[in-house]
């Protein structure tokens, strides 16, 4: 009985994550498209920047969490920083799944592409050892790196426009 609940929970989690990625793309189509373009144009750079940011933010959050054992006020910035990081991952994964869907299923409608690509990515990430330690961290690093690059490009573009005016 417990195995049945575990399988049901895994299936519902898969459906919920794919739905949330499609929901983010539907709510913020311009931002997700910008991240997707960055992902396409700066694939290697996105990976390395995302890997570095993921490692540094994780170390920082673990440090704040250890400080929060003696002073619980540190939980507030740790929660805020980690929430922003997770929102960035959601935007990046929505763009990654969008890109993956266009590569794997070019003749399908947009939503079907993303449902299938999200399922492929998540199921491949469940593959023992290779999925856990290579595919999923690779996808997360790509997602985070593309979001960071896009944010800094947008900031630079706004700065250049204000200087030109």
């Amino acid at each position: 009985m417990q195995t049945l609940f575990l399988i049901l929970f895994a299936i519902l989690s898969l459906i919920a994550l794919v739905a949330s990625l499609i929901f983010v793309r539907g709510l913020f189509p311009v931002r997700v498209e910008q991240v997707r373009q960055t992902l396409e144009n700066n694939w290697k750079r996105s990976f390395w920047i995302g890997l570095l940011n993921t490692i540094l933010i994780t170390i920082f959050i673990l440090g704040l969490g250890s400080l929060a054992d003696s002073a619980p006020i540190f939980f507030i910035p740790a929660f805020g920083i980690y929430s922003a990081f997770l929102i960035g991952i959601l935007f990046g994964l929505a763009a990654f799944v969008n890109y993956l869907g266009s590569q794997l299923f070019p003749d399908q409608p947009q939503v079907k592409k993303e449902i299938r690509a999200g399922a492929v990515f998540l199921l491949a990430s469940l593959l023992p050892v290779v999925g856990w330690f290579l595919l999923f961290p690779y996808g997360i690093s790509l997602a985070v790196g593309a979001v960071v690059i896009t944010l800094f490009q947008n900031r630079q573009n706004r700065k250049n426009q204000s200087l030109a005016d």
Side-chain angles (χ1 to χ4, degrees):
M1 191 69 166
Q2 197 173 23
T3 307
L4 178 65
F5 285 132
L6 186 64
I7 292 171
L8 182 63
F9 180 74
I11 291 170
L12 289 175
S13 297
L14 173 75
I15 293 169
L17 186 57
V18 171
S20 67
L21 295 176
I22 294 170
F23 180 74
V24 166
R25 187 188 57 83
L27 235 86
F28 306 101
V30 174
R31 177 69 67 185
V32 171
E33 185 58 32
Q34 289 173 342
V35 174
R36 183 182 187 272
Q37 292 297 322
T38 302
L39 190 62
E40 281 184 55
N41 298 331
N42 302 313
W43 195 266
K44 290 180 185 176
R45 187 174 170 210
S46 293
F47 170 73
W48 290 111
I49 289 175
L51 183 64
L52 180 67
N53 278 308
T54 302
I55 291 170
L56 291 177
I57 288 175
T58 302
I59 291 170
F60 188 67
I61 294 300
L62 290 175
L64 280 176
S66 67
L67 286 174
D69 288 339
S70 60
I73 193 75
F74 286 113
F75 278 125
I76 295 170
F79 180 75
I81 292 168
Y82 206 63
S83 296
F85 180 70
L86 290 177
I87 289 170
I89 287 176
L90 199 59
F91 274 97
L93 282 179
F96 177 68
V97 166
N98 189 323
Y99 175 73
L100 190 63
S102 66
Q103 294 295 313
L104 294 176
F105 310 106
D107 55 341
Q108 296 291 321
Q110 187 66 31
V111 174
K112 281 188 179 182
K113 281 185 207 180
E114 291 186 22
I115 289 172
R116 290 179 180 179
V120 165
F121 174 66
L122 292 173
L123 290 174
S125 296
L126 290 175
L127 183 67
V129 182
V130 173
W132 300 338
F133 300 114
L134 292 177
L135 292 176
F136 190 69
Y138 182 70
I140 293 297
S141 295
L142 282 174
V144 170
V147 168
V148 168
I149 291 171
T150 302
L151 287 175
F152 281 105
Q153 282 178 346
N154 287 345
R155 179 179 283 173
Q156 187 67 29
N157 290 343
R158 277 188 251 136
K159 184 178 176 182
N160 290 340
Q161 283 179 347
S162 67
L163 289 175
D165 292 338

